[in-house]
Amino acid sequence: MLRIAIQAKGRLNEKTMALLADAGISASVGSRSLIAHAKGFPVDLLLLRDDDIPQAVAMGTADLGIVGLNEVEEKGVDVHRIIPLGFGGCRLSLAVPREADYKGLEWFNGCRIATSYPAILSRFLKEKEISAEIHTITG
């Protein structure tokens, strides 16, 4: 039985389900399901939060995962990227107040920055030699 971890709901779920359908794999997914069994294939879909998918693959709970590279980078787990699927892209954006006299990244020196991706942001700031206080937020 092949176990594929996918996002339970959200933007990646819709694209992933369409991709699987194009491959002939379909499964009935209830709104509160954790596992969906594919029809006609030895495949189980593990329906997880996107930030849990890299760890599920790294630990062997899932054989494969479909998730954004940002989640893999943030978790820092050792998984093999097989192929980019062409959806789910993202970028790191830093916001400043409209009235700020922003002249470049140096503006963030000494600032507090809230993010859902503290590891990625920390690496970025270190690479750019910017010293800022990072606060982790979720949701």
Side-chain angles (χ1 to χ4, degrees), residues 28-61:
S28 294
V29 179
S31 64
R32 311 259 319 150
S33 298
L34 297 175
I35 298 176
H37 305 289
K39 296 177 181 105
F41 285 92
V43 173
D44 281 341
L45 302 179
L46 306 179
L47 303 155
L48 306 174
R49 288 172 40 108
D50 58 346
D51 55 347
D52 291 332
I53 294 172
Q55 184 175 349
V57 173
M59 293 175 56
T61 303

Side-chain angles (χ1 to χ4, degrees), residues 54 67-79 120 123:
V67 69
L69 189 56
N70 59 314
E71 294 297 342
V72 175
E73 291 291 323
E74 182 62 28
K75 296 300 179 194
V77 294
D78 186 24
V79 295
I120 293 172
R123 285 192 301 269

Side-chain angles (χ1 to χ4, degrees), residues 5-26:
I6 67 170
Q7 186 180 30
K9 57 184 174 183
R11 188 171 52 104
L12 284 182
N13 175 276
E14 295 165 10
K15 298 270 189 176
T16 299
M17 293 306 286
L19 176 72
L20 293 172
D22 287 347
I25 300 170
S26 65

Side-chain angles (χ1 to χ4, degrees), residues 116-134:
S116 297
Y117 298 99
I120 293 172
L121 179 61
S122 180
R123 285 192 301 269
F124 174 79
L125 293 176
K126 184 175 182 178
E127 175 186 306
K128 302 298 182 182
E129 299 180 354
I130 304 295
S131 176
E133 187 179 330
I134 297 174

